[in-house]
Amino acid sequence: MRFQLLGPLALADGPDTVVLQSSKPANLLAALLLHANSPVSAEYLQRAIWGEEQPATARAALQTCVLRLRRLFSKHGVTTAIDAVPGGYRITAAPSTLDLLGFRDRVRRAAGLDRDPEAELCALRDALSLWQGALLANVRSVVLHRDEVPRLAEERLRAVERVCDLLLGLGRCGEALVDLWTATRVHPGHERFHEQLIEALYRSGRQSQALAEYRRVKGFLLEELGVDPSPSLRRLELAVLRGEDLGPAGPAAPRVIRGETAALPAARPITVPDAAPSTVSAVTPSTVSDAASAPAQGAASATGPGAATGTAQGVSPVTAQGASPVTPQAASGVVAPAPTPVLPQGGPPVPAQGGPPAPAQGAAPAPAPAAGTTFAPVAAPRIEPVPAVPHFTGRAAEAAALTARLTAPPPPGPEDHRPLTVLVSGAPGIGKSALAQHAARLARDAFPAGQLLVRMTRADGEPRPADEVVADVAAALGAAGDGRALLILDDVVDADQVRPLLTLRGEAGAGPGPAVVVTSRMGLGGLIATHGGWVQRLTTFTEAESYALLLTALGAERVEAEPRAAHRLAAACGHFPAALRILTARLLTRPGLRLADAADWLGDDPLARLTLTDSPDHSVSGLFDRALGRLDPRLSEAFTHLAQGPPTLLDDRGPDDEGPVPEAVREQLADAGLLEDGPPGPYRIHDLLRAHVRRTARIRDRRTEKV
């Protein structure tokens, strides 16, 4: 049982949480927990419960509140005791039983990692993940909100400052922007956040937006507070106006330990040798869905559209199931410099597009520091070359079939002007993008004009307009060399996005147009019916493929020492590629953990543990949430009903008391990749997906406890 203070006051036991209703005992519990392991005077507790004006019976009423809390603890099996001490009370807690102490402990441990920015960043992200919303939102104590909440909020802000400084020092400006946009809007008077935001924008090649942000904060400070921006903000504005090189990231923010601050050395920038100006792609939340990569020790890193892995403590990732690995910079969408990406196979440069760069899907990353740390603003391309996929694991038959299809000569006759179309479909997280990339690289000799990866959705999952994509692709193909090109249209939402791209032709309409590989969670049967093509539907890994993934990611020595435990881990992940990737990433950060112990640990709560704590977007639950969020609300409701009910709901006859869910509904859900082919029956739901839906419903309907 754990106490939660960093959000609504609650008691948590595994996935089950009891949020306490606003009451005087809740005020008392919050006051005790805020000073856990220390005696708290009765006078302070009375003020925390009733405010400055207390009733005459406050001392006796305090004892009644203590009694009610002890009864609540007994009811929920809480072993923590509220001890009476001279002049007051004391509650005992540890980092494992109180999130506030856990946060401070993790921040303290991060303080010892200042020589390893990646490890420090991971530790701070882990600490910040404990915050669950507005502080003590259900505690109505004027004294606590006046005296305690601001102090705790400041601890969090200092940790966020440090995280953003580390990200800037590592060249991961795109990832820093995600945090800073929120921080500057929630805390408009916090100048340090504005300074970091302006710096991140400028280092990302967004000079005009950086200047606009400076003007916005300057106006706010003058209108609301009647003061000018700080000298450091004014110096930064001047540097941006002049287009100056900012040099390494600025001095580090102080680190917080139990509310105290200590100066720290600045985060060191990551530099990239001038001799390797390779193109590296951005990583966005939606790419997690089709990646099945896993970090591996000593692996070289590159990025790809199907990869989004959370590296920790400097571990370089290795892909599994074909997803590309990511560098520490690329994990945020900020990568090595490549202002003019060059297509493999001698293709033309991809034209740069205006507008903000990654994290939106289809947008390429902003530049990270190169040797010499030059920060010239560079426009970012939206279309990128198809990167190589090293250490591809599994899908051997599918890769061979797709490669053969791409390299086969087009049929003779008038139809040879129609693009070859291949659809790779399947559930979210099944590895569609990875397979498409891998096959494209195997077939690269058949496409001398180059291969382009085109992202079809933005970071929020919204589809990119077809006319926008057509314009980008036409510009890229117009600059292409002789011969045929290959397009990978990644994460297509519906057929209307694709149809205009299937009418593109070679120069002056001569010869066949580019070959097209479409990856989509949807079946897109209507597209195949009207335009032809070949379909490759992906399912989960076989047991042998899952074991091979673990061997590749964790190393043969570790896996072969405990083969039975490795098979248990694969089974606990349901042989689901994305789940296996996340699991191996976590295990690589714990090299001393035995696989048998890891299998027990994972089996206790697989959904909660199949997530990367430093990157919450990289989780099985998040992946499923984004997939369900794309559904029509009526389909989503039907799927929730199916997942919560017995498996017989998926049968053609259904249970006696309910009957079947209409076949049309089941077909639509199967088309969306949420239902798999049987047996048993014609359809089934993956165990992890079913568990996620049930858990989400349980959390949504959780009880509100009155004390």
Side-chain angles (χ1 to χ4, degrees):
M1 186 68 73
R2 305 184 312 278
F3 296 105
Q4 293 182 347
L5 272 178
L6 305 180
L9 180 62
L11 302 178
D13 184 11
D16 298 320
T17 302
V18 176
V19 178
L20 304 185
Q21 193 175 47
S22 298
S23 63
K24 291 179 175 59
N27 292 0
L28 170 62
L29 179 59
L32 289 170
L33 291 173
L34 286 167
H35 302 276
N37 304 319
S38 299
V40 185
S41 69
E43 289 76 11
Y44 176 82
L45 293 174
Q46 289 167 202
R47 287 192 299 113
I49 295 172
W50 289 280
E52 303 299 341
E53 297 182 4
Q54 302 168 25
T57 58
R59 177 64 66 119
L62 172 60
Q63 295 174 353
T64 302
C65 289
V66 171
L67 179 60
R68 291 172 63 184
L69 276 182
R70 287 170 174 165
R71 288 174 179 170
L72 175 70
F73 287 6
S74 176
K75 174 182 177 181
H76 290 286
V78 180
T79 58
T80 302
I82 300 176
D83 300 317
V85 297
Y89 295 90
R90 177 180 59 203
I91 193 169
T92 303
S96 60
T97 58
L98 176 58
D99 57 0
L100 175 59
L101 297 182
F103 170 74
R104 288 170 173 167
D105 181 66
R106 296 178 195 192
V107 171
R108 183 182 297 107
R109 284 190 279 113
L113 300 172
D114 57 283
R115 294 182 180 275
D116 186 347
E118 281 289 348
E120 183 183 356
L121 177 62
C122 180
L124 287 174
R125 287 286 201 197
D126 192 26
L128 289 168
S129 69
L130 296 175
W131 289 73
Q132 300 296 321
L135 215 69
L136 300 181
N138 56 334
V139 175
R140 296 178 183 174
S141 170
V142 174
V143 171
L144 295 183
H145 281 277
R146 181 193 66 198
D147 299 339
E148 302 292 344
V149 168
R151 178 172 59 83
L152 295 182
E154 186 63 23
E155 290 189 43
R156 180 182 178 277
L157 291 181
R158 294 295 180 88
V160 173
E161 281 183 19
R162 180 61 181 167
V163 164
C164 294
D165 271 320
L166 288 168
L167 290 171
L168 291 174
L170 289 165
R172 294 160 62 172
C173 300
E175 189 173 345
L177 284 172
V178 175
D179 294 327
L180 289 168
W181 281 122
T182 301
T184 53
R185 273 51 183 174
V186 175
H187 307 281
H190 196 101
E191 288 189 67
R192 177 59 185 152
F193 284 145
H194 291 286
E195 186 177 343
Q196 290 173 316
L197 176 59
I198 293 168
E199 181 180 345
L201 287 168
Y202 181 59
R203 291 180 186 274
S204 300
R206 297 155 74 169
Q207 184 181 26
S208 60
Q209 284 186 274
L211 292 171
E213 182 61 24
Y214 175 82
R215 289 192 296 270
R216 197 190 70 80
V217 67
K218 180 180 180 181
F220 171 83
L221 293 172
L222 288 173
E223 293 174 12
E224 299 295 329
L225 305 176
V227 298
D228 290 321
S230 65
S232 58
L233 260 177
R234 294 199 297 271
R235 286 193 297 270
L236 181 58
E237 182 218 13
L238 189 59
V240 174
L241 281 170
R242 293 173 175 173
E244 294 177 353
D245 175 6
L246 297 183
R255 185 185 284 108
V256 181
I257 301 176
R258 288 189 63 87
E260 300 176 359
T261 61
L264 296 172
R268 296 183 296 277
I270 297 296
T271 59
V272 181
D274 288 332
S278 58
T279 301
V280 191
S281 67
V283 177
T284 65
S286 58
T287 60
V288 180
S289 62
D290 292 332
S293 60
Q297 295 144 317
S301 58
T303 61
T309 184
T311 60
Q313 304 190 23
V315 179
S316 299
V318 166
T319 62
Q321 161 41 29
S324 305
V326 292
T327 63
Q329 300 98 313
S332 65
V334 180
V335 293
T340 310
V342 179
L343 289 175
Q345 305 92 41
V350 181
Q353 305 293 330
Q361 275 199 332
T373 57
T374 300
F375 295 95
V378 179
R382 288 184 177 181
I383 300 177
E384 55 191 303
V386 176
V389 185
H391 308 286
F392 187 87
T393 301
R395 309 292 193 208
E398 293 89 340
L402 182 52
T403 303
R405 182 68 58 172
L406 292 175
T407 54
E415 290 299 316
D416 64 0
H417 286 247
R418 174 177 291 178
L420 166 67
T421 305
V422 179
L423 169 64
V424 181
S425 63
I430 210 69
K432 302 179 290 294
S433 300
L435 175 64
Q437 283 179 232
H438 182 66
R441 296 291 297 185
L442 292 177
R444 59 185 177 274
D445 292 341
F447 302 98
Q451 301 170 316
L452 295 175
L453 178 72
V454 185
R455 297 194 184 281
M456 303 297 286
T457 53
R458 306 190 191 281
D460 58 3
E462 287 297 312
R464 292 179 62 195
D467 54 353
E468 173 189 305
V469 178
V470 168
D472 288 352
V473 171
L477 292 179
D482 295 334
R484 202 176 193 191
L486 172 66
L487 302 178
I488 295 181
L489 308 182
D490 192 40
D491 199 15
V492 169
V493 174
D494 57 49
D496 290 338
Q497 274 191 303
V498 179
R499 288 191 173 100
L501 291 165
L502 300 184
T503 61
L504 296 174
R505 296 286 187 270
E507 183 179 359
V516 177
V517 176
V518 174
T519 74
S520 178
R521 300 171 187 176
M522 307 300 294
L524 302 183
L527 180 72
I528 299 299
T530 57
H531 288 72
W534 181 73
V535 179
Q536 177 68 64
R537 184 82 174 181
L538 299 185
T539 59
T540 55
F541 272 162
T542 64
E543 187 172 354
E545 287 174 325
S546 296
Y547 189 80
L549 186 154
L550 295 176
L551 281 172
T552 301
L554 300 178
E557 181 178 356
R558 188 175 182 184
V559 174
E560 290 177 351
E562 300 180 82
R564 183 173 300 177
H567 284 291
R568 284 177 57 205
L569 284 170
C573 291
H575 304 289
F576 199 72
L580 288 163
R581 173 184 56 80
I582 292 170
L583 171 68
T584 52
R586 297 206 68 174
L587 291 179
L588 281 170
T589 65
R590 294 166 174 80
L593 182 64
R594 295 177 59 250
L595 297 190
D597 294 335
D600 295 335
W601 165 79
L602 178 63
D604 289 341
D605 192 356
L607 286 172
R609 286 157 185 174
L610 287 173
T611 183
L612 300 177
T613 54
D614 63 323
S615 185
D617 280 336
H618 300 165
S619 68
V620 170
S621 292
L623 172 66
F624 291 153
D625 278 336
R626 288 188 292 273
L628 294 171
R630 286 191 186 181
L631 287 180
D632 179 278
R634 291 170 295 180
L635 274 182
S636 180
E637 183 179 350
F639 183 73
T640 300
H641 174 62
L642 286 171
Q644 290 184 275
T648 52
L649 274 178
L650 293 167
D651 294 343
D652 288 331
R653 296 182 59 184
D656 294 337
D657 56 338
E658 289 194 51
V661 172
E663 184 176 1
V665 172
R666 288 180 287 163
E667 278 294 308
Q668 291 180 70
L669 291 171
D671 190 61
L674 298 175
L675 295 185
E676 302 175 347
D677 295 335
Y683 307 103
R684 60 187 172 88
I685 300 175
H686 192 279
D687 290 342
L688 284 178
L689 183 52
R690 184 185 292 276
H692 168 74
V693 173
R694 290 178 173 177
R695 175 176 177 168
T696 301
R698 185 169 63 249
I699 293 173
R700 184 180 61 244
D701 300 333
R702 66 186 179 186
R703 295 172 291 121
T704 298
E705 182 72 23
K706 182 177 180 179
V707 296

